[in-house]
PDB file of all heavy atoms in Angstrom:
ATOM      1  N   GLU K 292      86.911  28.011  27.587  1.00 77.00           N
ATOM      2  CA  GLU K 292      88.113  27.241  27.758  1.00 77.00           C
ATOM      3  C   GLU K 292      87.801  25.789  27.363  1.00 77.00           C
ATOM      4  O   GLU K 292      86.842  25.190  27.820  1.00 77.00           O
ATOM      5  CB  GLU K 292      88.624  27.302  29.204  1.00 77.00           C
ATOM      6  CG  GLU K 292      89.882  26.501  29.469  1.00 77.00           C
ATOM      7  CD  GLU K 292      91.111  27.129  28.848  1.00 77.00           C
ATOM      8  OE1 GLU K 292      91.126  28.356  28.676  1.00 77.00           O
ATOM      9  OE2 GLU K 292      92.062  26.386  28.549  1.00 77.00           O
ATOM     10  N   THR K 293      88.670  25.215  26.530  1.00 81.00           N
ATOM     11  CA  THR K 293      88.410  23.859  26.048  1.00 81.00           C
ATOM     12  C   THR K 293      88.914  22.851  27.101  1.00 81.00           C
ATOM     13  O   THR K 293      90.079  22.842  27.450  1.00 81.00           O
ATOM     14  CB  THR K 293      89.167  23.613  24.720  1.00 81.00           C
ATOM     15  OG1 THR K 293      88.755  24.598  23.777  1.00 81.00           O
ATOM     16  CG2 THR K 293      88.841  22.234  24.183  1.00 81.00           C
ATOM     17  N   VAL K 294      87.972  22.054  27.604  1.00 85.00           N
ATOM     18  CA  VAL K 294      88.313  21.039  28.598  1.00 85.00           C
ATOM     19  C   VAL K 294      87.920  19.689  28.039  1.00 85.00           C
ATOM     20  O   VAL K 294      86.973  19.561  27.261  1.00 85.00           O
ATOM     21  CB  VAL K 294      87.547  21.291  29.936  1.00 85.00           C
ATOM     22  CG1 VAL K 294      87.979  22.606  30.544  1.00 85.00           C
ATOM     23  CG2 VAL K 294      86.033  21.303  29.727  1.00 85.00           C
ATOM     24  N   TRP K 295      88.644  18.681  28.432  1.00 86.00           N
ATOM     25  CA  TRP K 295      88.362  17.322  27.953  1.00 86.00           C
ATOM     26  C   TRP K 295      87.940  16.372  29.039  1.00 86.00           C
ATOM     27  O   TRP K 295      87.576  15.229  28.798  1.00 86.00           O
ATOM     28  CB  TRP K 295      89.571  16.748  27.208  1.00 86.00           C
ATOM     29  CG  TRP K 295      90.790  16.549  28.035  1.00 86.00           C
ATOM     30  CD1 TRP K 295      91.774  17.432  28.294  1.00 86.00           C
ATOM     31  CD2 TRP K 295      91.160  15.340  28.716  1.00 86.00           C
ATOM     32  NE1 TRP K 295      92.746  16.913  29.079  1.00 86.00           N
ATOM     33  CE2 TRP K 295      92.376  15.596  29.353  1.00 86.00           C
ATOM     34  CE3 TRP K 295      90.600  14.092  28.849  1.00 86.00           C
ATOM     35  CZ2 TRP K 295      93.049  14.654  30.126  1.00 86.00           C
ATOM     36  CZ3 TRP K 295      91.232  13.150  29.603  1.00 86.00           C
ATOM     37  CH2 TRP K 295      92.458  13.410  30.236  1.00 86.00           C
ATOM     38  N   ASN K 296      87.952  16.861  30.319  1.00 88.00           N
ATOM     39  CA  ASN K 296      87.475  16.004  31.418  1.00 88.00           C
ATOM     40  C   ASN K 296      87.013  16.921  32.545  1.00 88.00           C
ATOM     41  O   ASN K 296      87.715  17.856  32.935  1.00 88.00           O
ATOM     42  CB  ASN K 296      88.561  15.048  31.912  1.00 88.00           C
ATOM     43  CG  ASN K 296      88.078  14.148  33.005  1.00 88.00           C
ATOM     44  OD1 ASN K 296      88.240  14.453  34.185  1.00 88.00           O
ATOM     45  ND2 ASN K 296      87.481  13.031  32.631  1.00 88.00           N
ATOM     46  N   ILE K 297      85.817  16.625  33.065  1.00 90.00           N
ATOM     47  CA  ILE K 297      85.256  17.369  34.206  1.00 90.00           C
ATOM     48  C   ILE K 297      84.846  16.334  35.274  1.00 90.00           C
ATOM     49  O   ILE K 297      84.230  15.332  34.957  1.00 90.00           O
ATOM     50  CB  ILE K 297      84.020  18.203  33.800  1.00 90.00           C
ATOM     51  CG1 ILE K 297      84.283  18.996  32.541  1.00 90.00           C
ATOM     52  CG2 ILE K 297      83.605  19.113  34.936  1.00 90.00           C
ATOM     53  CD1 ILE K 297      83.060  19.680  31.956  1.00 90.00           C
ATOM     54  N   GLY K 597      82.567  13.512  33.320  1.00 91.00           N
ATOM     55  CA  GLY K 597      82.180  13.590  31.924  1.00 91.00           C
ATOM     56  C   GLY K 597      83.141  14.443  31.154  1.00 91.00           C
ATOM     57  O   GLY K 597      84.120  15.019  31.697  1.00 91.00           O
ATOM     58  N   ASP K 598      82.881  14.551  29.839  1.00 88.00           N
ATOM     59  CA  ASP K 598      83.786  15.330  28.971  1.00 88.00           C
ATOM     60  C   ASP K 598      83.057  16.429  28.208  1.00 88.00           C
ATOM     61  O   ASP K 598      83.698  17.208  27.509  1.00 88.00           O
ATOM     62  CB  ASP K 598      84.489  14.412  27.983  1.00 88.00           C
ATOM     63  CG  ASP K 598      83.525  13.522  27.222  1.00 88.00           C
ATOM     64  OD1 ASP K 598      82.300  13.734  27.340  1.00 88.00           O
ATOM     65  OD2 ASP K 598      83.986  12.595  26.525  1.00 88.00           O
ATOM     66  N   ASP K 599      81.728  16.453  28.291  1.00 88.00           N
ATOM     67  CA  ASP K 599      80.961  17.466  27.588  1.00 88.00           C
ATOM     68  C   ASP K 599      80.287  18.391  28.603  1.00 88.00           C
ATOM     69  O   ASP K 599      79.596  17.915  29.531  1.00 88.00           O
ATOM     70  CB  ASP K 599      79.904  16.821  26.700  1.00 88.00           C
ATOM     71  CG  ASP K 599      79.096  17.834  25.911  1.00 88.00           C
ATOM     72  OD1 ASP K 599      79.650  18.503  25.025  1.00 88.00           O
ATOM     73  OD2 ASP K 599      77.897  18.010  26.238  1.00 88.00           O
ATOM     74  N   LEU K 632      89.015  20.161  36.729  1.00 88.00           N
ATOM     75  CA  LEU K 632      88.991  20.272  35.262  1.00 88.00           C
ATOM     76  C   LEU K 632      90.329  19.832  34.697  1.00 88.00           C
ATOM     77  O   LEU K 632      91.381  20.129  35.276  1.00 88.00           O
ATOM     78  CB  LEU K 632      88.654  21.697  34.834  1.00 88.00           C
ATOM     79  CG  LEU K 632      87.350  22.290  35.340  1.00 88.00           C
ATOM     80  CD1 LEU K 632      87.220  23.737  34.849  1.00 88.00           C
ATOM     81  CD2 LEU K 632      86.170  21.467  34.866  1.00 88.00           C
ATOM     82  N   ARG K 633      90.291  19.188  33.556  1.00 86.00           N
ATOM     83  CA  ARG K 633      91.490  18.830  32.832  1.00 86.00           C
ATOM     84  C   ARG K 633      91.372  19.377  31.428  1.00 86.00           C
ATOM     85  O   ARG K 633      90.398  19.114  30.707  1.00 86.00           O
ATOM     86  CB  ARG K 633      91.687  17.312  32.799  1.00 86.00           C
ATOM     87  CG  ARG K 633      91.779  16.704  34.195  1.00 86.00           C
ATOM     88  CD  ARG K 633      92.033  15.216  34.130  1.00 86.00           C
ATOM     89  NE  ARG K 633      93.388  14.948  33.661  1.00 86.00           N
ATOM     90  CZ  ARG K 633      93.894  13.707  33.532  1.00 86.00           C
ATOM     91  NH1 ARG K 633      93.141  12.664  33.835  1.00 86.00           N
ATOM     92  NH2 ARG K 633      95.101  13.531  33.089  1.00 86.00           N
ATOM     93  N   CYS K 634      92.356  20.184  31.036  1.00 82.00           N
ATOM     94  CA  CYS K 634      92.329  20.879  29.755  1.00 82.00           C
ATOM     95  C   CYS K 634      93.431  20.363  28.857  1.00 82.00           C
ATOM     96  O   CYS K 634      94.352  19.662  29.286  1.00 82.00           O
ATOM     97  CB  CYS K 634      92.482  22.397  29.948  1.00 82.00           C
ATOM     98  SG  CYS K 634      91.351  23.115  31.175  1.00 82.00           S
ATOM     99  N   PHE K 635      93.303  20.706  27.568  1.00 77.00           N
ATOM    100  CA  PHE K 635      94.379  20.322  26.636  1.00 77.00           C
ATOM    101  C   PHE K 635      95.665  21.063  26.976  1.00 77.00           C
ATOM    102  O   PHE K 635      96.757  20.541  26.785  1.00 77.00           O
ATOM    103  CB  PHE K 635      93.930  20.639  25.210  1.00 77.00           C
ATOM    104  CG  PHE K 635      92.824  19.747  24.730  1.00 77.00           C
ATOM    105  CD1 PHE K 635      91.508  20.206  24.757  1.00 77.00           C
ATOM    106  CD2 PHE K 635      93.077  18.483  24.306  1.00 77.00           C
ATOM    107  CE1 PHE K 635      90.478  19.410  24.328  1.00 77.00           C
ATOM    108  CE2 PHE K 635      92.033  17.636  23.876  1.00 77.00           C
ATOM    109  CZ  PHE K 635      90.725  18.115  23.895  1.00 77.00           C
ATOM    110  N   SER K 636      95.521  22.300  27.443  1.00 71.00           N
ATOM    111  CA  SER K 636      96.695  23.053  27.894  1.00 71.00           C
ATOM    112  C   SER K 636      96.659  23.082  29.417  1.00 71.00           C
ATOM    113  O   SER K 636      95.883  23.834  30.030  1.00 71.00           O
ATOM    114  CB  SER K 636      96.665  24.483  27.340  1.00 71.00           C
ATOM    115  OG  SER K 636      97.747  25.225  27.833  1.00 71.00           O
ATOM    116  N   GLU K 637      97.465  22.220  30.045  1.00 67.00           N
ATOM    117  CA  GLU K 637      97.429  22.103  31.489  1.00 67.00           C
ATOM    118  C   GLU K 637      97.883  23.391  32.187  1.00 67.00           C
ATOM    119  O   GLU K 637      97.459  23.680  33.295  1.00 67.00           O
ATOM    120  CB  GLU K 637      98.315  20.956  31.920  1.00 67.00           C
ATOM    121  CG  GLU K 637      97.843  19.581  31.451  1.00 67.00           C
ATOM    122  CD  GLU K 637      96.499  19.190  32.079  1.00 67.00           C
ATOM    123  OE1 GLU K 637      96.185  19.760  33.145  1.00 67.00           O
ATOM    124  OE2 GLU K 637      95.796  18.375  31.501  1.00 67.00           O
ATOM    125  N   CYS K 640      94.824  25.748  32.368  1.00 77.00           N
ATOM    126  CA  CYS K 640      93.558  25.131  32.704  1.00 77.00           C
ATOM    127  C   CYS K 640      92.940  25.829  33.920  1.00 77.00           C
ATOM    128  O   CYS K 640      93.657  26.322  34.814  1.00 77.00           O
ATOM    129  CB  CYS K 640      93.741  23.645  33.026  1.00 77.00           C
ATOM    130  SG  CYS K 640      92.207  22.715  33.010  1.00 77.00           S
TER     131      CYS K 640
END
Side-chain angles (χ1 to χ4, degrees):
E292 179 71 27
T293 304
V294 297
W295 64 272
N296 182 267
I297 312 171
D598 53 9
D599 181 68
L632 302 178
R633 302 183 68 179
C634 309
F635 292 99
S636 177
E637 296 294 337
C640 196

